[in-house]
Amino acid sequence: MILITGASSGLGAQIAQRYAQQGKSLLLSGRDQQRLQQVKDNCLGKAATHVTDLAEAKSVSTLFDALPQPPELIIHCAGSGYFGPLTEQQPQQIVALINNNLLSATLVLQQAVKRYQDQAVTVVVVMSTAAQVAKAGESSYCAVKWGVRGLVESLRLELKYKPMKLVAVYPGGMATEFWQTSGKDIDLSNFMSAAEAAQMLVDALQHSARGFVSDITINRTE
Amino acid sequence: MILITGASSGLGAQIAQRYAQQGKSLLLSGRDQQRLQQVKDNCLGKAATHVTDLAEAKSVSTLFDALPQPPELIIHCAGSGYFGPLTEQQPQQIVALINNNLLSATLVLQQAVKRYQDQAVTVVVVMSTAAQVAKAGESSYCAVKWGVRGLVESLRLELKYKPMKLVAVYPGGMATEFWQTSGKDIDLSNFMSAAEAAQMLVDALQHSARGFVSDITINRTE
Amino acid sequence: MILITGASSGLGAQIAQRYAQQGKSLLLSGRDQQRLQQVKDNCLGKAATHVTDLAEAKSVSTLFDALPQPPELIIHCAGSGYFGPLTEQQPQQIVALINNNLLSATLVLQQAVKRYQDQAVTVVVVMSTAAQVAKAGESSYCAVKWGVRGLVESLRLELKYKPMKLVAVYPGGMATEFWQTSGKDIDLSNFMSAAEAAQMLVDALQHSARGFVSDITINRTE
Amino acid sequence: MILITGASSGLGAQIAQRYAQQGKSLLLSGRDQQRLQQVKDNCLGKAATHVTDLAEAKSVSTLFDALPQPPELIIHCAGSGYFGPLTEQQPQQIVALINNNLLSATLVLQQAVKRYQDQAVTVVVVMSTAAQVAKAGESSYCAVKWGVRGLVESLRLELKYKPMKLVAVYPGGMATEFWQTSGKDIDLSNFMSAAEAAQMLVDALQHSARGFVSDITINRTE
């Protein structure tokens, strides 16, 4: 069983389809039931859906309650973008950005660790290259992504000697509808599709008897 | 004129007293009028106070409206601590932690940049060494502090070639009441006092004709 | 054609065997002809060998001259370890450590970029998790590995908009003879074998039409 | 007594003059006796000189032997620059760059730690902002500076609970003859003078009963 958040579009939806093709059972979480249903329809009968507001602790707990057993893999893709110079941004949308990225990741990781830290569960946290470098015109977005990274790196220390593993993923330069709604005008023709990034990510999530790929950055070729 | 946030206690209060002794006019912002008044009483008649909820955009704007002219210096000290393993933390207090640290810094910096980016105003953002490294038992705290750092580093790029300067300050190991209310049991006898850290910080904030100290980390000796 | 440095043992030797099994032609570089020959014997007739001193500019140039055509892939695995508190290390061995890690990487990357920067050549630089964090008892080793990382990250900026791609790989916790000769006493039973790490690395080196996996960290499970 | 390396010009020479004005006794180390003598002449009779090749272990040891007692402060300023795209650099000059920066810092820190780790000696290591970020056209320079940073951060862990303190200093954008001999054509009119940077650095090196400024970045205003 694999739990995927942010599964209703973009990278999350594409990852879901790949794992369905591998015959994995899926629980897909998203905010929009209609779009989740469309993704589910592409998942070969392997997926269930769960509408979740990841910025609400109770809603996150209910999502985890819906898992019939400990998942082998949790892929946290949920997130939203909001770009532009800080001076032109709206406080309410900054609050939404924080909730959709930092608060949601905190609540999802809290439930995952609380429930499964003593089991061999792998939690993949999909961030962005904006979690690794500073970017002009993306200051509030970098803020929330750096925040998630600080959370993940600290949780790794809390999980030392536990069987649970955290994998950090940093994609950059993907062309998803994420950008169309982001307020940033940008030529996407050289950007990776979400399908390309999903395929590379699923293939790069390697593990062996005593090791695993713990951090992956995916960039466009330019 | 110097604007200090988080001035009602700890490092902010100590910094206020040092600048008052230098004869600087101060506007002190905090959440508690009574405690702000006590700090003001130690400021030799140089300080005015302003009760502000820095997690409210309007309240932050009102604070900046209260400045009679562009300040030469803004020292953003406001913040709160909340510690312990993530699994034991309460969602409502995590939300408060995010508001008191990441959202407040975003709103304060937004006003500062919007109003003064074309003037020689220095904005000092006081974070923590928890913004630089991961720490077990401080995952949500590191998250918000890494977030503020991502914001500051990105804003620096947005301010390139502007006269406004951002100074990043990372204190570690200070013994303030901050810790007593943090839920973390810790021996503070070897920690710096807020007075010590404030004195070093004020002295280290150097600038010259063409340069300035842009980043300062302060640690305890151990 | 794939060029592999440090191919006479450990990760480099294992990577060579995997690519040989995929039917790739290989040029294997190492310092010891006898050990290179043993690796070659496991490469199904797909490998040629070249004895190279990577700390000598001329020797590195001769290695690249030996390539019959531009390689699709260069995997720079060469390196050596030397551990212990700095106070107990010998200056001559520190010099060797710098030569075997930082100087060799600089000379190899210089030739690779000079010759192939305008072609779709991928250069994989294998470092260590010691390039990402500080470690007590490994200060000189971290120094050279941080150095290689600074080189790679800066070269990426020099290669912007070029078809050549740099991939950074950071393995941690591998059990190779590298440790036996390193002067560090350590229980290796939970460490990954070089074979495990090589398999994960080869599988994680994904690319797509417009993107590629640019950074990979591999850790042991603990 | 203060030991200053790289004291024959630039930042090192300026720092020497400032401490001489404060009445401190100085031991000035550099490669050129004539230029060291000129600096000494500006040091109000407070300075002795010592010609040292910091890339030679014996020479470094002899320098430390010349100290009549443990110094309160060691300021390691020695270093050299060599810039331009990696493809255009000469291997022999890359070797010199490594020796003058990474090897010399390693040997100086080794002697300092070996001799004084159990005493309240402060060692200031002057690097560059090139130790903190990647820069196109400075790949080999960033390599050696990142290397020094990795060394310093790891040594800090080895010195945990020791009275010796390491201070990391990162100046950027200074106009010294360093640039004139660096092969990089650049307008220096907006750069800080070495005198400006030295004054800020000396003033920012604050300490208190239980704490100290451990990291300082100095940038030009632009």
Side-chain angles (χ1 to χ4, degrees):
Chain A
M1 165 73 69
I2 297 174
L3 168 62
I4 302 176
T5 70
S8 58
S9 68
L11 192 64
Q14 292 291 334
I15 290 172
Q17 291 180 40
R18 267 146 201 81
Y19 279 117
Q21 287 156 13
Q22 293 183 15
K24 301 285 189 184
S25 293
L26 302 170
L27 179 58
L28 307 180
S29 163
R31 276 180 296 190
D32 184 321
Q33 175 57 44
Q34 203 172 346
R35 296 173 64 189
L36 270 182
Q37 182 62 43
Q38 289 170 359
V39 177
K40 177 183 174 174
D41 292 345
N42 290 324
C43 282
L44 314 170
K46 303 296 298 175
T49 63
H50 194 280
V51 174
T52 325
D53 178 354
L54 296 177
E56 276 295 327
K58 267 200 185 148
S59 176
V60 175
S61 187
T62 305
L63 168 65
F64 277 79
D65 287 342
L67 287 163
Q69 78 266 14
E72 61 179 298
L73 193 56
I74 298 171
I75 304 186
H76 178 57
C77 289
S80 69
Y82 178 48
F83 302 99
L86 185 64
T87 51
E88 296 172 14
Q89 293 197 312
Q90 299 306 315
Q92 276 320 302
Q93 292 190 254
I94 292 172
V95 169
L97 181 76
I98 292 173
N99 287 342
N100 292 340
N101 291 281
L102 181 55
L103 181 57
S104 60
T106 308
L107 296 176
V108 166
L109 283 167
Q110 188 182 42
Q111 286 299 320
V113 175
K114 199 181 274 190
R115 292 169 186 243
Y116 308 126
Q117 63 184 299
D118 292 315
Q119 299 178 53
V121 173
T122 296
V123 183
V124 177
V125 182
V126 178
M127 291 172 268
S128 159
T129 52
Q132 299 176 311
V133 292
K135 304 191 182 194
E138 305 189 18
S139 61
S140 58
Y141 186 67
C142 287
V144 295
K145 292 301 189 190
W146 284 47
V148 177
R149 192 180 183 197
L151 180 75
V152 167
E153 295 295 350
S154 298
L155 271 180
R156 281 176 162 171
L157 301 179
E158 294 188 12
L159 289 170
K160 201 151 193 199
Y161 306 120
K162 297 278 187 181
M164 173 174 269
K165 293 190 294 279
L166 296 190
V167 177
V169 175
Y170 305 95
M174 236 191 317
T176 66
E177 58 192 73
F178 188 98
W179 289 96
Q180 274 114 56
T181 60
S182 72
K184 198 163 181 176
D185 191 20
I186 204 162
D187 171 21
L188 298 178
S189 60
N190 287 324
F191 279 54
M192 292 179 283
S193 67
E196 284 177 81
Q199 187 65 56
M200 286 189 281
L201 173 53
V202 167
D203 289 343
L205 283 177
Q206 298 291 326
H207 60 94
S208 68
R210 283 162 296 191
F212 68 112
V213 172
S214 60
D215 301 80
I216 301 165
T217 302
I218 301 175
N219 266 300
R220 62 191 178 98
T221 315
E222 294 185 25
Chain B
M1 165 74 68
I2 297 174
L3 169 61
I4 302 175
T5 70
S8 57
S9 67
L11 192 64
Q14 292 291 333
I15 290 172
Q17 291 180 40
R18 266 148 200 80
Y19 279 117
Q21 285 156 14
Q22 293 182 16
K24 302 285 189 183
S25 293
L26 303 170
L27 179 58
L28 307 180
S29 163
R31 277 181 294 190
D32 184 320
Q33 175 56 46
Q34 203 172 344
R35 295 172 65 190
L36 270 181
Q37 183 61 43
Q38 289 169 358
V39 177
K40 178 183 173 174
D41 292 346
N42 289 324
C43 283
L44 315 169
K46 303 297 300 177
T49 62
H50 194 279
V51 174
T52 324
D53 178 354
L54 295 177
E56 275 296 326
K58 265 200 186 151
S59 176
V60 175
S61 186
T62 304
L63 168 65
F64 277 80
D65 288 342
L67 287 162
Q69 79 264 14
E72 60 179 299
L73 192 57
I74 298 172
I75 303 186
H76 178 56
C77 289
S80 68
Y82 178 47
F83 303 98
L86 185 63
T87 51
E88 297 173 12
Q89 293 196 312
Q90 299 306 315
Q92 276 320 302
Q93 290 190 255
I94 292 173
V95 169
L97 181 76
I98 292 174
N99 287 343
N100 292 341
N101 291 280
L102 181 55
L103 180 57
S104 60
T106 307
L107 296 177
V108 167
L109 283 167
Q110 187 180 45
Q111 286 299 321
V113 175
K114 199 181 272 189
R115 291 169 189 244
Y116 307 126
Q117 63 183 299
D118 293 315
Q119 299 179 52
V121 172
T122 297
V123 183
V124 177
V125 182
V126 179
M127 290 172 271
S128 159
T129 52
Q132 299 176 311
V133 292
K135 304 193 183 193
E138 305 189 18
S139 61
S140 57
Y141 186 66
C142 286
V144 296
K145 292 302 186 189
W146 284 48
V148 176
R149 192 180 181 194
L151 180 77
V152 168
E153 295 295 349
S154 298
L155 270 179
R156 281 176 164 173
L157 300 179
E158 295 188 11
L159 289 171
K160 201 152 193 200
Y161 305 119
K162 297 278 186 181
M164 173 175 270
K165 292 190 295 277
L166 296 190
V167 177
V169 176
Y170 305 95
M174 234 191 316
T176 65
E177 58 191 74
F178 189 97
W179 288 96
Q180 275 114 56
T181 60
S182 72
K184 199 166 183 175
D185 190 21
I186 204 162
D187 170 21
L188 298 176
S189 60
N190 287 324
F191 280 53
M192 290 178 283
S193 67
E196 284 178 80
Q199 188 65 56
M200 287 189 281
L201 173 52
V202 167
D203 289 342
L205 284 177
Q206 297 292 326
H207 60 93
S208 67
R210 284 161 298 191
F212 69 112
V213 172
S214 60
D215 302 79
I216 300 164
T217 302
I218 301 175
N219 267 299
R220 62 192 177 99
T221 314
E222 295 185 22
Chain C
M1 168 70 69
I2 298 174
L3 169 62
I4 302 176
T5 70
S8 58
S9 67
L11 192 64
Q14 292 291 334
I15 290 172
Q17 291 180 39
R18 268 147 199 80
Y19 279 117
Q21 286 156 13
Q22 294 182 15
K24 302 285 189 185
S25 294
L26 303 170
L27 179 58
L28 307 180
S29 163
R31 276 180 295 189
D32 184 321
Q33 175 58 42
Q34 202 171 348
R35 295 173 66 191
L36 270 181
Q37 183 61 43
Q38 289 169 358
V39 177
K40 178 184 172 175
D41 291 345
N42 290 325
C43 283
L44 314 170
K46 303 296 297 177
T49 62
H50 194 279
V51 173
T52 325
D53 178 354
L54 296 177
E56 275 297 326
K58 267 200 186 150
S59 177
V60 175
S61 188
T62 305
L63 168 65
F64 277 80
D65 288 343
L67 286 163
Q69 77 265 14
E72 59 178 300
L73 193 57
I74 297 170
I75 304 187
H76 178 57
C77 289
S80 68
Y82 179 47
F83 303 97
L86 185 63
T87 51
E88 297 173 12
Q89 294 197 311
Q90 299 308 314
Q92 276 321 303
Q93 292 191 256
I94 292 172
V95 169
L97 182 76
I98 292 174
N99 287 343
N100 292 340
N101 290 281
L102 181 55
L103 181 56
S104 59
T106 307
L107 296 177
V108 167
L109 283 167
Q110 188 181 42
Q111 286 300 319
V113 174
K114 200 181 272 189
R115 292 169 187 244
Y116 308 127
Q117 63 184 302
D118 292 316
Q119 299 178 53
V121 173
T122 297
V123 183
V124 177
V125 183
V126 179
M127 292 171 268
S128 158
T129 51
Q132 299 177 311
V133 293
K135 304 192 183 194
E138 304 189 17
S139 60
S140 58
Y141 186 67
C142 287
V144 295
K145 292 301 188 188
W146 284 48
V148 177
R149 191 181 184 196
L151 180 76
V152 168
E153 296 294 350
S154 298
L155 271 180
R156 281 175 163 172
L157 301 179
E158 294 188 13
L159 289 170
K160 201 153 192 198
Y161 307 120
K162 297 277 186 182
M164 173 175 270
K165 293 190 294 277
L166 296 190
V167 177
V169 176
Y170 305 96
M174 235 189 317
T176 67
E177 57 192 73
F178 188 98
W179 288 96
Q180 275 114 56
T181 61
S182 71
K184 201 167 181 174
D185 190 21
I186 203 161
D187 170 21
L188 299 176
S189 59
N190 288 322
F191 280 54
M192 291 179 282
S193 67
E196 285 179 79
Q199 188 65 56
M200 287 190 281
L201 173 52
V202 168
D203 289 342
L205 282 178
Q206 299 291 326
H207 61 92
S208 67
R210 284 162 295 192
F212 69 112
V213 172
S214 59
D215 302 79
I216 300 165
T217 302
I218 301 176
N219 267 299
R220 63 190 176 101
T221 314
E222 294 186 25
Chain D
M1 166 73 68
I2 296 175
L3 168 62
I4 302 176
T5 71
S8 58
S9 66
L11 191 64
Q14 293 292 333
I15 290 172
Q17 291 180 40
R18 267 148 200 81
Y19 280 117
Q21 286 156 14
Q22 294 182 16
K24 302 285 188 183
S25 294
L26 302 170
L27 179 59
L28 307 180
S29 163
R31 277 180 295 190
D32 185 319
Q33 175 58 43
Q34 203 172 346
R35 296 173 66 190
L36 270 182
Q37 183 61 44
Q38 289 170 358
V39 177
K40 177 184 174 173
D41 291 346
N42 290 324
C43 282
L44 315 170
K46 301 299 297 177
T49 62
H50 194 280
V51 174
T52 325
D53 179 354
L54 296 177
E56 276 296 326
K58 268 201 185 149
S59 177
V60 176
S61 187
T62 305
L63 168 64
F64 277 80
D65 287 343
L67 286 163
Q69 77 264 17
E72 60 179 301
L73 192 57
I74 297 171
I75 304 186
H76 178 57
C77 289
S80 68
Y82 179 46
F83 303 97
L86 184 63
T87 51
E88 297 173 12
Q89 293 197 312
Q90 299 308 313
Q92 276 322 303
Q93 292 191 256
I94 292 173
V95 169
L97 181 76
I98 292 173
N99 287 343
N100 293 340
N101 291 280
L102 181 55
L103 180 57
S104 60
T106 307
L107 296 177
V108 167
L109 283 166
Q110 187 181 45
Q111 286 300 322
V113 174
K114 200 180 273 190
R115 292 169 187 245
Y116 308 126
Q117 62 184 302
D118 292 316
Q119 299 179 53
V121 173
T122 297
V123 183
V124 177
V125 182
V126 178
M127 292 171 268
S128 158
T129 52
Q132 301 176 310
V133 293
K135 304 192 183 194
E138 304 188 19
S139 60
S140 56
Y141 186 67
C142 287
V144 296
K145 292 303 188 188
W146 284 48
V148 178
R149 191 181 183 196
L151 180 76
V152 169
E153 295 295 349
S154 298
L155 271 180
R156 281 175 164 173
L157 300 178
E158 294 188 12
L159 289 170
K160 200 151 194 199
Y161 306 120
K162 296 278 187 182
M164 173 175 270
K165 292 189 295 275
L166 296 189
V167 177
V169 175
Y170 305 95
M174 233 190 319
T176 67
E177 59 192 71
F178 188 98
W179 289 96
Q180 275 113 56
T181 60
S182 72
K184 199 165 183 175
D185 191 20
I186 203 162
D187 171 20
L188 298 176
S189 60
N190 287 324
F191 280 54
M192 291 180 283
S193 66
E196 283 178 81
Q199 189 63 58
M200 287 189 282
L201 173 52
V202 167
D203 289 342
L205 283 178
Q206 298 291 326
H207 60 94
S208 68
R210 284 162 297 191
F212 69 112
V213 172
S214 59
D215 301 79
I216 300 165
T217 303
I218 300 176
N219 268 299
R220 63 192 177 99
T221 315
E222 294 185 25

